[in-house]
Every structure is written in C-alpha cells, then in structure tokens.
Amino acid sequence: MPGRQIAEIMGTSSYAAVEEQHPGLVVLESRNRTAGYARRTGIACVMASLLASAAALGAEPGAQFLTGDWGGARTQWSEAGIDLMLTYIGEYMAVTSGGLAQKGEYLSRTDLGVTLNTEKRMGWKDGTFQFTFMHTDGGQPNDHVGSLQGVSNIEAPVTTKLLEAWYDQGFFSGSASLRFGLYDLNTEFDAMETAKMFSNPSFGISPDFSQSGVNGPSIFPTTSLALRARYQSAGNLYAQAAILDGVPGKPGAPRGTYIRLDPQDGWLVAAETGYQATRASNSKERYLKLGVGAWRYTEPLSADVNGNPVGARYSQGFYLISEAHLYRETAGSAKGLYWFLHYG
C-alpha cells in the first residue's frame, strides 16, 4: 500500500486495517496548502508527506518504528497482544483572494490508537479491542472561505476526545464479525482508500451523508455507539450493515466525548454490499472495489445539521463507489495508477 494512502487512512479511519498489514506502524504527515478562492476558482495544493514503514526501512528489530523498538519493549508488547499507533497531521491553509477574509490558519490532528488482541492477551480467539484518542488543534480555515462542504478533512473545534472504543469479534475463521462500541462509520461505509489520499472532506464521505441528521452521522469528529455486522466471502464479495445512535454526541457541545441514548434520537441504519479484492502489496491480484450502499434515519427531521428548517421528513440516501488499481510500477507493487468514482 502506498505510503500516502496509509497516512490518509490512519488520519480518518480505524487502525485495524492498517495494523493488519503494518503492525505497530508509526506515520507522521505534514500538509501545506495555499489556495485562492473566488466565486469560481480552482484549488492549488502542495502536499508533502513523511512515512516510516517496514518496507522502506531495514530488517533490524524495531526498524519499522520511527523511534525504534524501545529496547525490545514494542516487540514484547506486540507479542503480548498490545499494539500502539500514533499519527500527526499538520496543515496550513490560506485564502489569497476572494473568500470571506484573506487570512491563513494552521490546524492539526493527533491520534493515538491502542489495539488489544484478546487471543494473545487472554486466549479469547478472534477478538480485538480498539481505542483511538484524538486531539484537534488550530484554526478554522473554512471560516475564511465560506464553503458549504468544508475545505479540510481535519478541521474541527479544539478538543481532546475518545473517538473510537469498540470490540470486534470474528467468526468462521474471520470471514464474519460483529463490532460494538464507539464507531466511526466512515472507516468502512462509503469509504474508498484511493480517495482518502485527498484532503477535501467530500473525498472521505459524500456531503449528502456527512451533513445529514441532527448532529451529523457517527464520523470524525463526533462518533456514537453502534453495532456493525460484516461478512466477506472467499470470493471477495462482502456485505455489512450497522445501526447507530441517530444523534451522535451532544448537539451544541462539540468538545469532549458524550455517550447518550435518547428514545427521541432514533437510529441511523446503514448497509453496504459489493466486491473488494485484496490490497496486499505482495499479491498478484490488483486491488478492485465495487460497492453500493444505502442509509436512513428512523426519526423524521425538522431541521438539518446547520439548523435550517426542512419540514418533518425522513433523511435517507444511497451511494455507488468504485476504485481500482489500473497499473503497477513493478510486479507485485502497490504503487502505480489508481482511479475512483463516487455517486450519491
């Protein structure tokens, strides 16, 4: 998997998928963008990333870690079922023309992930605990731009919170699983790894979905309790469904973690099915994902996420996603040419 994709996945997703191929990986990323916005303009982006991975570094013990093996401690922890993950994304954005104000802002996101393997820890097969602590800092560049969809996928109020805390239990040799807890819906639903290379929020999850509900769906930066079921066949066909609290967190209180279940909140129900081939870099099979999904809130809404009256109606939608690895630089490499398509 290309380093840029790993960094972006870790910035917006669960660490479980990255851990599967890169256990204990530490990624640091910095992004710098300067853009001019007018009524009709493009966005110029200059991005730089720093990646430390086992593939790029040597085969010495701890070489896959940016800060080493801590005298063998990290290897011992991993063998005991404890893996740590740390990511930092820093971004500078400036409005150089047009917009609401010609100013610049620096913003950042830091995630600390802890994964516990229950089989290694206590002999409980196919079980995983995941905890992700998040800190967001800096300014709000969209205040100077005025975009309805936002301009950065890490923009959030200054806060420190528990973003994810779930338990995943596998069945049938890992082909099926149940997951329960604080859950980021966009780690698995309406998600394309190739699109996550880009910084605009709409590449992460479509705006019709991300701006739905009273307080948005259960995604960054506010998540809710959820129950998710997933099945993937040996032929790469998959199906997944989730039921989530209809109002994540506490509306009007974006800072901190709130877990509250109110019968009036209702539920958000999401389902997705499709085909997803392997992403392993050593596989001869090229990556391909085709999917179709749908979502619906069980309680009617009287106002949208921005407080605008919409009348008593149900919020619902669907989406189609597709991404593929078209060309390899070398045989067995994940580097090359990718494409993706999204409709919702």
Side-chain angles (χ1 to χ4, degrees):
M1 183 182 301
R4 179 70 189 173
Q5 293 173 340
I6 295 173
E8 289 291 344
I9 292 167
M10 292 171 59
T12 58
S13 301
S14 162
Y15 295 94
V18 183
E19 281 285 353
E20 183 177 348
Q21 296 179 28
H22 301 268
L25 180 67
V26 176
V27 173
L28 299 180
E29 178 180 327
S30 64
R31 298 198 295 234
N32 182 287
R33 296 189 291 169
T34 302
Y37 296 89
R39 290 184 178 179
R40 294 183 180 180
T41 67
I43 301 178
C45 302
V46 179
M47 303 180 180
S49 65
L50 173 65
L51 173 70
S53 72
L57 299 176
E60 294 296 322
Q64 71 268 34
F65 302 114
L66 188 65
T67 56
D69 198 26
W70 298 347
R74 275 179 161 168
T75 298
Q76 293 177 3
W77 292 356
S78 183
E79 291 175 350
I82 304 174
D83 290 294
L84 303 178
M85 191 83 71
L86 175 66
T87 67
Y88 176 84
I89 299 176
E91 183 173 83
Y92 178 80
M93 300 187 66
V95 179
T96 59
S97 64
L100 302 179
Q102 295 180 16
K103 297 177 61 177
E105 299 284 356
Y106 183 84
L107 60 160
S108 65
R109 172 179 173 178
T110 305
D111 286 8
L112 172 63
V114 181
T115 303
L116 303 178
N117 184 309
T118 60
E119 185 171 5
K120 293 180 179 180
R121 293 297 299 167
M122 59 191 75
W124 192 336
K125 189 176 181 180
D126 295 331
T128 303
F129 283 100
Q130 174 68 46
F131 303 93
T132 303
F133 301 89
M134 178 196 74
H135 176 74
T136 50
D137 206 345
Q140 306 286 308
N142 197 44
D143 290 347
H144 313 316
V145 177
S147 169
L148 293 177
Q149 297 185 21
V151 293
S152 171
N153 59 15
I154 66 168
E155 183 173 348
V158 177
T159 185
T160 299
K161 64 170 62 179
L162 180 62
L163 183 68
E164 287 197 294
W166 45 254
Y167 174 73
D168 187 282
Q169 179 61 56
F171 303 94
F172 311 115
S173 300
S175 60
S177 67
L178 287 175
R179 181 173 297 181
F180 174 77
L182 278 177
Y183 172 68
D184 183 346
L185 178 74
N186 192 218
T187 60
E188 297 181 304
F189 290 80
D190 200 2
M192 294 184 292
E193 294 184 11
T194 306
K196 290 173 183 174
M197 296 171 60
F198 299 92
S199 301
N200 190 280
S202 294
F203 287 109
I205 182 172
S206 56
D208 57 317
F209 199 175
S210 65
Q211 298 184 18
S212 65
V214 175
N215 201 36
S218 178
I219 59 174
F220 168 87
T222 302
T223 54
S224 70
L225 289 178
L227 176 64
R228 189 275 285 149
R230 178 181 172 88
Y231 174 78
Q232 180 144 357
S233 71
N236 295 323
L237 297 176
Y238 74 92
Q240 58 189 19
I243 181 169
L244 310 96
D245 184 4
V247 182
K250 182 179 179 181
R255 295 174 174 83
T257 301
Y258 297 89
I259 300 176
R260 49 187 295 272
L261 293 176
D262 188 327
Q264 296 182 352
D265 291 347
W267 304 95
L268 168 60
V269 180
E272 181 179 313
T273 186
Y275 174 90
Q276 184 172 19
T278 181
R279 245 214 118 105
S281 60
N282 59 354
S283 173
K284 294 182 180 180
E285 184 179 4
R286 294 182 180 178
Y287 177 69
L288 172 65
K289 181 177 182 179
L290 303 169
V292 55
W295 52 273
R296 178 183 171 92
Y297 289 86
T298 62
E299 289 295 318
L301 302 176
S302 58
D304 62 19
V305 70
N306 297 314
N308 301 314
V310 296
R313 62 178 176 83
Y314 289 93
S315 181
Q316 58 190 353
F318 76 97
Y319 56 86
L320 303 173
I321 54 177
S322 173
E323 58 178 336
H325 191 178
L326 301 180
Y327 167 76
R328 293 183 189 272
E329 288 187 1
T330 58
S333 172
K335 295 182 179 180
L337 178 65
Y338 290 78
W339 80 291
F340 65 92
L341 179 67
H342 183 279
Y343 178 82

